């Protein structure tokens, strides 16, 4: 008889714990995760933080979490990670009544990109794991890995840009600080232009003659199109790194920079290509780096018509730097037709052997190796 009561008691306990834990284990249980910072450069590390909170008296005997993480963000501690074509982080925790657990994981940023952690799966149940309850928590966390900056030869930035403002003969606005001499007063001149010291010397009204100047600016056009069906992504990544490095170097010298590309950006509901306005601030550089992090190698418009449309919108007297993995007849034709008196043009070709087939006039040409080193320059 005692044995029967023992069996009944065990069955009651099993039923009660099954009822409690399968129904209430996830009740008042919160989960959150985030990256310690919004972005990092290739090769750097970032911490990924998780926080579990059990806000009830009933403990959570076991809790399994499962997160699909981008394979480009690699865990330093791979004990709880399985990797196939995707990377999954799985771990089992226990939480007592009103307990909070915080876990910190160190990740290595192996590749440029814009990454998202969409959701986390939570699984728990009774002691015997006979019944389980599930919950999917939407977290929607984003992290940007900026392209690695590389050392570039200063020759890639036109020397006249490093000098700041420069004198030109084709601008339309006089610079009041550049005085080249004096001339006789004309009825169309404003009275405030009269230089009284020169007037006293010449004994007739004199006005100052000014040169024309223009502020320097750099437009970087990045081509993500590859000319063969077999795409060398390392060459295209080199173009992205060059773009980031050129932008940083130009801004360090006080040169406003704009970056455009025919490549589409990730993380948007519609097709958006990279296009940043001219700027020279730290926030502007951050915007360029985030745009390059989001940049994919998909495109809807070939580079030649993209470049042709771009030229019409480039400000007068700007410097255009074209970063491309190749040059073809269409591209050469567009570059040849650019008014070089209005826009200075430079081309950086990544490890291309056929560039010398196009003797483009008034164009600075640079050949860059896959290691990011300057192989040859032609002016």
């Amino acid at each position: 008889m005692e044995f029967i009561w023992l069996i009944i008691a065990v069955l009651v306990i099993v039923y009660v714990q099954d009822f409690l834990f399968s129904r209430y284990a996830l009740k008042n249980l919160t989960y959150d995760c985030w990256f310690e910072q919004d972005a990092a450069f290739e090769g750097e590390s970032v911490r990924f933080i998780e926080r579990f909170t059990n806000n009830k008296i009933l403990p959570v005997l076991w809790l399994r979490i499962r997160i699909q993480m981008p394979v480009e963000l690699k865990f330093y501690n791979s004990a709880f990670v399985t990797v196939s074509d995707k990377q999954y982080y799985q771990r089992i925790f226990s939480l007592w009544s009103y307990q909070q657990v915080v876990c910190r994981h160190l990740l290595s940023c192996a590749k440029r990109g814009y990454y998202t952690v969409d959701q986390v799966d939570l699984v728990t149940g009774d002691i015997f794991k006979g019944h389980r309850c599930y919950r999917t928590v939407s977290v929607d966390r984003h992290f940007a890995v900026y392209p690695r900056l590389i050392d570039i030869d200063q020759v890639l930035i036109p020397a006249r840009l490093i000098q700041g403002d420069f004198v030109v003969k084709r601008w339309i606005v006089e610079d009041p600080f550049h005085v080249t001499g004096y001339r006789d007063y004309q009825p169309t001149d404003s009275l405030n232009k009269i230089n009284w010291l020169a007037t006293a010397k010449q004994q007739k009204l004199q006005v100052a003659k000014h040169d024309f100047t223009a502020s320097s600016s750099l437009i970087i056009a990045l081509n993500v199109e590859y000319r063969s069906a077999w795409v060398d992504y390392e060459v295209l990544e080199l173009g992205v790194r060059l773009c980031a490095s050129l932008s940083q170097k130009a801004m360090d010298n006080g040169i406003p920079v704009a970056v455009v590309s025919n490549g589409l950006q990730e993380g948007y509901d519609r097709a958006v290509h990279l296009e940043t306005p001219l700027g020279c601030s730290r926030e502007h550089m951050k915007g360029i780096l985030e745009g390059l992090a989001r940049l994919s190698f998909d495109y809807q418009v070939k580079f030649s018509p993209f470049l042709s449309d771009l030229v019409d919108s480039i400000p007068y007297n700007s410097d255009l730097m074209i970063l491309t993995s190749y040059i073809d007849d269409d591209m050469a034709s567009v570059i040849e037709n650019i008014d070089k008196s209005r826009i200075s043009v430079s081309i950086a070709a990544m490890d291309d052997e056929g560039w010398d087939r196009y003797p483009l006039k008034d164009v600075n040409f640079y050949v860059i190796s896959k290691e990011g080193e300057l192989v040859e320059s032609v002016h």
Side-chain angles (χ1 to χ4, degrees), residues 188-207:
T188 56
D189 293 327
S190 174
L191 290 175
N192 60 8
K193 289 187 176 182
I194 297 175
N195 187 284
W196 297 106
L197 181 60
T199 297
K201 289 181 179 180
Q202 298 295 330
Q203 295 298 309
K204 56 182 177 179
L205 292 176
Q206 297 286 297
V207 296

Side-chain angles (χ1 to χ4, degrees), residues 2-123:
E2 293 178 356
F3 180 71
I4 295 176
W5 282 111
L6 179 62
I7 293 177
I8 294 173
V10 169
L11 291 176
V12 169
I13 292 173
V14 170
Y15 174 79
V16 171
Q17 67 87 28
D18 176 73
F19 176 81
L20 289 174
F21 287 107
S22 62
R23 177 168 297 189
Y24 298 106
L26 289 179
K27 186 177 179 62
N28 294 330
L29 177 69
T30 61
Y31 173 87
D32 196 9
C33 64
W34 64 91
F35 293 96
E36 198 170 42
Q37 57 198 58
D38 295 331
F41 285 91
E42 280 181 297
E44 294 183 344
S45 300
V46 64
R47 290 193 182 277
F48 180 71
I49 303 173
E50 297 179 286
R51 182 175 62 205
F52 311 84
T53 305
N54 183 23
N55 293 309
K56 61 180 181 298
I57 194 170
L58 183 70
V60 179
L61 300 180
W62 62 273
L63 174 68
R64 176 181 296 160
I65 68 162
R66 185 173 185 267
I67 311 175
Q68 180 181 324
M69 297 287 291
V71 294
E72 295 83 2
L73 301 178
K74 299 183 181 299
F75 285 82
Y76 278 94
N77 182 4
S78 59
F80 306 101
V81 179
T82 57
V83 180
S84 54
D85 58 330
K86 299 179 180 179
Q87 178 178 223
Y88 294 95
Y89 166 76
Q90 297 186 83
R91 195 170 180 180
I92 295 179
F93 297 87
S94 295
L95 290 92
W96 295 106
S97 305
Y98 301 102
Q99 184 183 12
Q100 179 175 275
V101 176
V102 177
C103 297
R104 293 176 173 84
H105 311 281
L106 192 61
L107 308 180
S108 173
C109 304
K111 186 179 179 182
R112 175 194 66 86
Y114 185 76
Y115 304 111
T116 301
V117 178
D118 292 320
Q119 59 188 32
V120 178
D121 296 324
L122 306 180
V123 183

Side-chain angles (χ1 to χ4, degrees), residues 33-268:
C33 64
W34 64 91
F35 293 96
E36 198 170 42
Q37 57 198 58
D38 295 331
F41 285 91
E42 280 181 297
E44 294 183 344
S45 300
V46 64
R47 290 193 182 277
F48 180 71
I49 303 173
E50 297 179 286
R51 182 175 62 205
F52 311 84
T53 305
N54 183 23
N55 293 309
K56 61 180 181 298
I57 194 170
L58 183 70
V60 179
L61 300 180
W62 62 273
L63 174 68
R64 176 181 296 160
I65 68 162
R66 185 173 185 267
I67 311 175
Q68 180 181 324
M69 297 287 291
V71 294
E72 295 83 2
L73 301 178
K74 299 183 181 299
F75 285 82
Y76 278 94
N77 182 4
S78 59
F80 306 101
V81 179
T82 57
V83 180
S84 54
D85 58 330
K86 299 179 180 179
Q87 178 178 223
Y88 294 95
Y89 166 76
Q90 297 186 83
R91 195 170 180 180
I92 295 179
F93 297 87
S94 295
L95 290 92
W96 295 106
S97 305
Y98 301 102
Q99 184 183 12
Q100 179 175 275
V101 176
V102 177
C103 297
R104 293 176 173 84
H105 311 281
L106 192 61
L107 308 180
S108 173
C109 304
K111 186 179 179 182
R112 175 194 66 86
Y114 185 76
Y115 304 111
T116 301
V117 178
D118 292 320
Q119 59 188 32
V120 178
D121 296 324
L122 306 180
V123 183
T124 188
D126 63 358
I127 299 175
F128 305 104
K129 297 185 180 181
H131 289 87
R132 301 183 180 185
C133 49
Y134 305 84
R135 182 196 297 171
T136 297
V137 179
S138 178
V139 291
D140 195 28
R141 301 302 183 193
H142 304 278
F143 186 74
V145 178
Y146 297 155
R148 174 170 51 87
L149 299 180
I150 58 179
D151 293 331
I152 56 173
D153 196 295
Q154 187 164 309
V155 74
L156 287 180
I157 298 180
R160 69 191 189 90
L161 287 182
I162 306 299
Q163 299 169 3
D165 289 354
F166 50 91
V167 177
V168 295
K169 296 182 179 179
R170 56 188 187 279
W171 197 229
I172 58 176
V173 178
E174 291 182 340
D175 189 335
F177 298 102
H178 286 257
V179 178
T180 59
Y182 301 93
R183 59 174 176 81
D184 292 342
Y185 173 82
Q186 302 293 328
T188 56
D189 293 327
S190 174
L191 290 175
N192 60 8
K193 289 187 176 182
I194 297 175
N195 187 284
W196 297 106
L197 181 60
T199 297
K201 289 181 179 180
Q202 298 295 330
Q203 295 298 309
K204 56 182 177 179
L205 292 176
Q206 297 286 297
V207 296
K209 292 192 300 183
H210 301 281
D211 237 326
F212 302 91
T213 63
S215 296
S216 55
S217 60
L218 179 63
I219 314 296
I220 303 176
L222 175 62
N223 180 20
V224 302
E225 184 183 354
Y226 204 77
R227 64 178 168 186
S228 65
W230 181 81
V231 180
D232 189 341
Y233 290 103
E234 280 303 312
V235 171
L236 297 181
E237 284 293 340
L238 172 61
V240 177
R241 291 170 185 157
L242 277 173
C243 186
S245 304
L246 281 168
S247 299
Q248 184 65 67
K249 196 173 189 70
M251 289 192 196
D252 288 344
N253 287 278
I255 302 168
V257 178
V259 174
V260 295
S261 175
N262 59 332
L264 300 179
Q265 294 197 278
E266 298 177 342
Y268 294 103

